[in-house]
Amino acid sequence: MNDNGHFNEREREYEASETEGRPVGGEEYRQEPAHEESEPQWYGVSYDREKGNTYTHPVQEKEQEGFFSRMRRKRLAVLALGLAFFALVSFFAGSFGYALAKNMIELEEQNDTGIMPSGANGLPGTADVYENTDNGQYDFSSVTIGKNDGSTLVGSDNGSAGDAAMSRIEAIAAVHHSVVEIATTTVSSRGQINAGAGSGVIIHADGVIVTNNHVIDGVDTIYVRLTNGNTYEAVLRGTDEENDIAILKITPQETLTVARLGCSAALALGEEVIAIGNPLGELGGTVTNGIISALEREVLIDNITMTLLQTNAAINSGNSGGGLFNLAGELVGVVNAKYSASGVEGLGFAIPIDTAILSINALLEHGYMPGRADLGVTVAEKNVFFNGRLTSMPYIYAASEDSPLKVGDLIYKIGEKEVFTASELKRAVRAYAVGDTVAVTVYRDNGWLTVNVTLCEYVPENSSVDFQ
């Protein structure tokens, strides 16, 4: 989140790609002339690391010729050769030192989370990595996660904890080992490895873990570290972007501590809760406590309105995906956000477990969230000139042969709703049901066109699940 109080969904660094401007609706695009480089103020031979070649700057003043003796000329020649040799040696030594330093810096950045394991892309770490040995054979669909009904606890003196309430120390001891650290790596288009971190909660003894979608969205590798230090390679079962839930799976070598799911509907305003997570990506197992500050707080996060629990327990970057527990040692929320602005403190948020459980069980059964409408095409945002200004539009780069939408189309409207980003497009489509027919306005072949599209069910392409 920035100082203006906006919520940022991701806690990792992203690489932005440049796109070429394209005229839309008859507007012409004119490339501004590049600024000419100023005349060099020195001369000689230098190395351009970006261009990878050696070039000579122009000499500004010609050296005045004088009368030198033959011996003087030989000495100058030897001196010149010596300087050239020294410069060549310095160049190679500097280049090697630069490359070595750059690699060392990148390795340090990759280990910022403190849990990058040895054996993972050759990176050093704190422990060996246990690979996932399920080989895609684990039967996720047979797993159903149960939760406390909690209907009899509504209005009780102890809120959702009821008569099972323990002391704070007892509750922490009961749940502490169910919260894990998550480390991720993402390889950019330029080959740079970026590290990310978050938290997760073990919800099944076979190694099923719940976390936030924004913790693992778009990453290339996911690692999970338990409180005993064992580090595991994790596979992704599925994600629910709208409710910010994701399901991971590891192959455990030990008996796991599994979190018991409570009932967020029975939470009482002011009820004490405990947050456990991995703040800053390197302080795994950190425990903070507070109260429930609001039960149904509507929060706008990346243009998606979510109904969340609000707490004053300390929440920081890296806590995302961690647990919010009551004094009965039950998971009542999955931490996913905080409000950050100058002069603002104690505004943390969590997804109620009654909401999260719907996503959890749907993802376990199907690998995705069924019943959500989709255009059946793959889009990316493309910069274009529209109405005299540079903006973005959803650009179709993959579509089925029988789709009325074509590769190269720029989507402008869904029904009467204008869309300029992929997120706006998704929200506009999700307002409809699977099987509905919707009018889609596109820019194609230098003109506007409206086509009718029958919406299909959304099935993500980047999941590890075999949807066949």
Side-chain angles (χ1 to χ4, degrees):
M1 303 172 201
N2 56 34
D3 290 338
N4 294 323
H6 296 297
F7 287 89
N8 291 331
E9 183 185 45
R10 306 272 190 305
E11 295 174 7
R12 297 170 301 160
E13 176 184 352
Y14 293 86
E15 291 291 330
S17 61
E18 296 181 356
T19 53
E20 180 182 358
R22 173 178 177 174
V24 172
E27 295 290 340
E28 295 185 357
Y29 171 69
R30 295 181 176 85
Q31 180 70 42
E32 294 293 332
H35 294 289
E36 296 182 0
E37 296 183 358
S38 59
E39 191 71 9
Q41 300 302 309
W42 50 274
Y43 62 90
V45 176
S46 64
Y47 181 73
D48 187 336
R49 186 173 290 112
E50 296 296 328
K51 296 180 181 179
N53 62 354
T54 301
Y55 67 99
T56 304
H57 287 286
V59 177
Q60 289 189 329
E61 293 185 10
K62 187 175 181 180
E63 191 73 37
Q64 295 294 325
E65 294 185 2
F67 295 96
F68 296 94
S69 65
R70 182 174 300 176
M71 183 62 70
R72 180 69 171 170
R73 290 181 181 275
K74 288 182 178 180
R75 289 178 179 175
L76 287 175
V78 171
L79 179 61
L81 287 174
L83 289 174
F85 177 77
F86 177 78
L88 187 62
V89 172
S90 299
F91 160 69
F92 282 110
S95 298
F96 176 78
Y98 169 80
L100 180 62
K102 183 175 184 293
N103 287 335
M104 292 178 64
I105 291 172
E106 287 183 353
L107 286 177
E108 290 178 359
E109 292 175 349
Q110 293 162 12
N111 285 281
D112 279 347
T113 62
I115 74 169
M116 289 302 297
S118 61
N121 298 321
L123 300 179
T126 58
D128 291 331
V129 177
Y130 292 101
E131 295 182 355
N132 190 288
T133 58
D134 292 330
N135 297 320
Q137 302 302 311
Y138 185 77
D139 187 7
F140 284 97
S141 60
S142 66
V143 178
T144 300
I145 307 298
K147 62 179 292 296
N148 184 2
D149 175 20
S151 58
T152 60
L153 297 174
V154 177
S156 71
D157 292 339
N158 292 323
S160 66
D163 294 336
M166 299 178 277
S167 71
R168 186 186 307 147
I169 293 177
E170 290 173 327
I172 292 170
V175 303
H176 185 253
H177 297 296
S178 69
V179 180
V180 301
E181 303 169 49
I182 294 176
T184 64
T185 60
T186 307
V187 181
S188 72
S189 59
R190 294 180 293 180
Q192 180 181 355
I193 298 178
N194 300 313
S199 308
V201 183
I202 302 169
I203 56 175
H204 193 278
D206 288 345
V208 178
I209 296 168
V210 62
T211 186
N212 288 146
N213 172 68
H214 77 256
V215 170
I216 53 80
D217 185 34
V219 305
D220 294 296
T221 57
I222 306 172
Y223 301 98
V224 168
R225 188 167 75 174
L226 309 182
T227 53
N228 65 6
N230 284 349
T231 304
Y232 292 87
E233 176 188 16
V235 296
L236 175 64
R237 167 60 177 178
T239 63
D240 178 3
E241 299 174 10
E242 295 183 13
N243 287 321
D244 200 16
I245 291 292
I247 296 296
L248 307 178
K249 172 72 170 64
I250 62 174
T251 306
Q253 303 298 309
E254 64 274 275
T255 300
L256 301 177
T257 299
V258 178
R260 294 184 297 119
L261 275 57
C263 177
S264 53
L267 283 166
L269 192 64
E271 180 176 346
E272 183 170 356
V273 287
I274 301 161
I276 305 179
N278 181 29
L280 308 184
E282 55 186 19
L283 301 175
T286 294
V287 180
T288 58
N289 74 305
I291 62 171
I292 294 294
S293 305
L295 294 169
E296 297 180 344
R297 182 71 73 194
E298 289 193 352
V299 179
L300 185 66
I301 302 178
D302 285 340
N303 296 314
I304 296 177
T305 300
M306 304 184 71
T307 301
L308 304 174
L309 301 172
Q310 180 182 327
T311 179
N312 67 338
I315 303 296
N316 293 285
S317 296
N319 272 106
S320 288
L324 190 69
F325 299 91
N326 62 16
L327 289 186
E330 297 171 330
L331 182 67
V332 293
V334 179
V335 174
N336 75 323
K338 66 172 291 186
Y339 191 91
S340 179
S342 178
V344 175
E345 295 180 4
L347 295 180
F349 300 90
I351 305 163
I353 196 61
D354 293 359
T355 300
I357 192 63
L358 301 177
S359 300
I360 290 170
N361 283 324
L363 293 175
L364 287 170
E365 182 177 359
H366 303 286
Y368 66 100
M369 297 301 294
R372 290 182 176 172
D374 189 65
L375 285 174
V377 298
T378 307
V379 302
E381 293 176 12
K382 186 176 181 66
N383 288 341
V384 297
F385 276 90
F386 179 70
N387 289 339
R389 64 185 181 91
L390 183 66
T391 186
S392 65
M393 276 188 174
Y395 170 84
I396 298 177
Y397 66 87
S400 60
E401 293 183 359
D402 58 349
S403 174
L405 298 171
K406 304 298 179 184
V407 173
D409 286 350
L410 289 162
I411 300 176
Y412 175 44
K413 286 184 179 181
I414 300 296
E416 296 300 319
K417 176 69 174 177
E418 294 181 353
V419 293
F420 292 98
T421 66
S423 297
E424 290 177 351
L425 173 63
K426 180 182 294 184
R427 288 193 300 275
V429 172
R430 296 288 167 82
Y432 296 87
V434 175
D436 286 352
T437 299
V438 59
V440 180
T441 303
V442 300
Y443 186 79
R444 179 192 301 173
D445 298 331
N446 298 319
W448 297 104
L449 178 67
T450 299
V451 297
N452 292 322
V453 180
T454 300
L455 301 178
C456 59
E457 184 177 67
Y458 171 70
V459 178
E461 295 180 352
N462 60 347
S463 175
S464 61
V465 180
D466 181 1
F467 294 108
Q468 301 302 319

